[in-house]
Amino acid sequence: MRIKALFSFGLSLIFFFIITFIKPPIDLANAAISQVGCKLPTQSSALLSVLQKCVVPENNPDQFAWELFAFVNQAARFQEKTKQGQSTNNAIWETWADDPLTFPEKPDPSQPPQWPEKLSSPKQLRLRSKVEKSQPDADFIEFQKNQACTPENAPCEEVRRNKPAFNYIMNNDLWYTQGLTAKFQSAQKALLKGESVQDFIKFPLDSIEVKGDWVPITENQKSEFHWNYDEKGDLYGLIAMHISSKALPNWFWATFEWVDNYGRCDYIGCHDLFGVVPHNLPSKQAINQQYSPGKITPELVSLFKEHGLTESWGQEWQHYRLKGSMTDFTDSTGQPLLLGNSITEQGFVPSASCITCHSRAAVTSLGKDAFPIAGFRPFLPGVGETGSKQTVGSAEIQFPNGPLTQSYSGSPDPNWFYRGISVQNSAGVVDVQAEEILKNLQMDFVWAIPFNAKPAP
Ligand code: HEC
């Protein structure tokens, strides 16, 4: 009896060891995830904790914004050498495919761009695309894009996307004009058959796009910034960062600023319920001032730790603040929601809405940009004041460089995309009628597509 018990104890011990040590740990981890998952629990006492864990982007947007930040800003495994021989200081997003790689100047459909498997080359920064009056008193504005950037004309800018987003653009031929024309035609056909084209262009859930803005800095300013070298070996510090994630159908939007940016919370305030106290900083009356850094929360510190943002690498990232996150066009009363960064949306922060402006990323039947000056409202007077010059890093920047334009905000207008869709009924209410003629095809909020795709020769 005793021997039998010992024997079976021994057997179960062996079995335990096999299960614990032989089975690869990754399998156990996956099994655990699929068991817990995001299914609603059977017990009501567990409902709250499952919802809190699973519905983060909508209900705790600022937490999700920081999770994205910590995720994309993990230190990259591979670094590169600049032309001067310095080693880069890349976070993982800085090794992703950038716009010049994704959208070649001379696209050849038989040779689609390849994902930079190990190394992308060091940065080729470009001038922030901006709207400018050709003359100070001109009625028209001009749009400048993709100009080379040097320390003298900073801020410099770059856009990068992760592999799921890059692959989607490649696999659907969204990286050159003829590919876009073909998409438009098949969307038009689908619409005529009575199908919806809402999800015609639909990036995968794990797509992430990042835009970063940089100013030149000196060696002894490195500790105050996330710093990096461009391909020429010029040293830059990061001052603004946009992240968009397809975690939500209309994407999740967040923007971060270098803590000492002049006018960081101007016009719309800064709002972060997760990473910093005080959570809300209202705009100052006098624009272009610096704002108090506040105190980083213990929750943010432990999130950074989980993602390896510790020691000197973690120090770099402590100089950034979430300005705000965005998950919808309007609030529950229908008032437009606003979000804009003092650097990237310089000059139109008071009317900027990430989600509304990006909903206007669309192409015409010819595969061309439907709203060529980037979705601005060109002929409305700008709001905001012209500020003064300030030194950021080692660059002098005009803050802001003139109140020139307004951005669209609030709900998108179906007339931007379909022909003859809104009709006024007898009560004067605008009725939206189903319409099968496609005017412009939405590019799932990714501006880079209409903005950068060029015709194949
Ligand atoms: C008035 C229009 C407008 C507003 C407002 C705006 N953007 Fe953009 N955004 C653009 C355009 C145009 C591009 C592409 C050209 C470029 O890279 O400058 C772009 C590019 C981007 C990219 C690179 C991926 C892509 O879609 O091409 C990200 C990420 C991004 N914006 C995030 C944001 C966030 C976050 C906000 C709000 C804080 C915001 N944008 C506000 C027009 C806008």
Side-chain angles (χ1 to χ4, degrees):
M1 199 56 193
R2 211 166 184 196
I3 293 175
K4 216 173 170 190
L6 261 178
F7 182 71
S8 60
F9 176 71
L11 253 187
S12 44
L13 212 64
I14 292 171
F15 203 64
F16 172 78
F17 273 104
I18 292 180
I19 296 263
T20 322
F21 298 110
I22 313 250
K23 233 180 152 203
I26 196 92
D27 272 15
L28 288 176
N30 282 340
I33 288 169
S34 65
Q35 268 166 30
V36 179
C38 275
K39 286 204 180 123
L40 292 193
T42 46
Q43 286 159 1
S44 46
S45 58
L47 183 60
L48 183 60
S49 70
V50 171
L51 288 177
Q52 275 169 340
K53 268 201 209 101
C54 296
V55 200
V56 171
E58 290 103 330
N59 287 316
N60 299 309
D62 301 339
Q63 178 189 336
F64 189 67
W66 278 114
E67 285 178 11
L68 283 170
F69 183 90
F71 177 78
V72 304
N73 288 323
Q74 294 171 88
R77 278 208 296 160
F78 301 104
Q79 299 299 337
E80 309 136 59
K81 287 265 185 287
T82 69
K83 284 183 182 153
Q84 308 282 332
Q86 306 104 325
S87 183
T88 55
N89 186 40
N90 290 340
I92 59 168
W93 68 272
E94 294 171 271
T95 64
W96 293 349
D98 64 5
D99 272 355
L101 177 87
T102 316
F103 304 96
E105 281 301 319
K106 292 198 180 80
D108 174 358
S110 68
Q111 307 224 304
Q114 299 295 307
W115 176 255
E117 216 37 85
K118 271 197 181 159
L119 293 183
S120 58
S121 50
K123 298 179 190 310
Q124 299 168 15
L125 298 173
R126 64 184 190 192
L127 206 57
R128 186 177 81 97
S129 315
K130 56 184 173 203
V131 276
E132 247 169 15
K133 288 192 181 178
S134 45
Q135 306 281 326
D137 56 350
D139 287 337
F140 293 95
I141 51 175
E142 283 180 330
F143 199 66
Q144 307 179 348
K145 59 186 196 184
N146 292 339
Q147 293 172 320
C149 196
T150 61
E152 289 70 46
N153 59 8
C156 302
E157 192 165 277
E158 68 184 317
V159 165
R160 295 183 184 258
R161 56 191 51 80
N162 68 353
K163 199 171 179 178
F166 176 84
N167 284 348
Y168 184 79
I169 292 175
M170 293 307 137
N171 297 340
N172 289 281
D173 289 331
L174 305 177
W175 54 283
Y176 60 100
T177 308
Q178 289 88 338
L180 295 172
T181 313
K183 269 280 174 246
F184 185 99
Q185 282 164 356
S186 43
Q188 176 69 289
K189 272 189 204 136
L191 203 62
L192 288 170
K193 277 194 273 170
E195 293 164 18
S196 160
V197 295
Q198 255 297 290
D199 289 339
F200 213 78
I201 309 286
K202 190 180 182 185
F203 277 70
L205 209 63
D206 48 354
S207 302
I208 300 178
E209 304 250 348
V210 175
K211 185 189 255 195
D213 278 52
W214 302 82
V215 288
I217 59 167
T218 56
E219 281 290 329
N220 58 13
Q221 290 172 320
K222 269 182 171 174
S223 63
E224 294 166 49
F225 293 88
H226 166 60
W227 55 269
N228 214 339
Y229 294 102
D230 72 351
E231 61 165 3
K232 288 173 284 176
D234 288 322
L235 179 61
Y236 287 91
L238 183 72
I239 54 165
M241 185 175 196
H242 277 342
I243 309 181
S244 59
S245 145
K246 187 65 187 180
L248 297 176
N250 295 335
W251 295 71
F252 176 90
W253 306 88
T255 191
F256 299 84
E257 300 224 13
W258 185 58
V259 62
D260 287 333
N261 277 349
Y262 291 88
R264 172 162 68 92
C265 309
D266 282 358
Y267 305 112
I268 57 173
C270 288
H271 310 281
D272 175 2
L273 293 179
F274 180 80
V276 78
V277 195
H279 294 315
N280 293 297
L281 279 182
S283 170
K284 292 185 177 174
Q285 281 288 321
I287 61 154
N288 268 320
Q289 315 290 308
Q290 286 175 315
Y291 283 79
S292 133
K295 209 170 169 316
I296 289 177
T297 59
E299 288 80 7
L300 183 62
V301 173
S302 55
L303 178 71
F304 273 17
K305 219 165 160 188
E306 280 166 31
H307 288 81
L309 272 61
T310 51
E311 297 174 30
S312 65
W313 181 254
Q315 271 301 315
E316 290 184 14
W317 298 108
Q318 304 236 339
H319 298 284
Y320 297 88
R321 295 290 178 274
L322 174 67
K323 178 155 187 182
S325 29
M326 182 169 224
T327 61
D328 213 339
F329 298 97
T330 70
D331 71 7
S332 59
T333 70
Q335 293 228 59
L337 292 168
L338 298 175
L339 185 60
N341 186 301
S342 74
I343 303 294
T344 30
E345 278 70 54
Q346 200 188 93
F348 58 101
V349 169
S351 65
S353 160
C354 324
I355 194 168
T356 309
C357 182
H358 275 258
S359 77
R360 283 165 61 85
V363 299
T364 65
S365 59
L366 300 175
K368 296 248 173 70
D369 193 343
F371 304 108
I373 53 163
F376 288 105
R377 312 179 71 164
F379 302 113
L380 286 175
V383 274
E385 300 159 43
T386 304
S388 49
K389 276 199 170 158
Q390 305 287 356
T391 305
V392 182
S394 56
E396 260 218 330
I397 306 178
Q398 176 78 44
F399 274 95
N401 63 0
L404 294 172
T405 41
Q406 283 188 41
S407 168
Y408 286 92
S409 60
S411 298
D413 180 347
N415 292 294
W416 296 340
F417 310 105
Y418 304 100
R419 273 189 210 290
I421 190 165
S422 54
V423 185
Q424 284 217 356
N425 67 18
S426 51
V429 179
V430 176
D431 250 355
V432 177
Q433 296 192 342
E435 181 57 57
E436 53 309 323
I437 310 275
L438 190 61
K439 188 156 56 172
N440 297 307
L441 179 63
Q442 270 183 317
M443 289 289 118
D444 196 9
F445 296 84
V446 178
W447 255 120
I449 299 173
F451 200 78
N452 292 310
K454 292 164 201 86

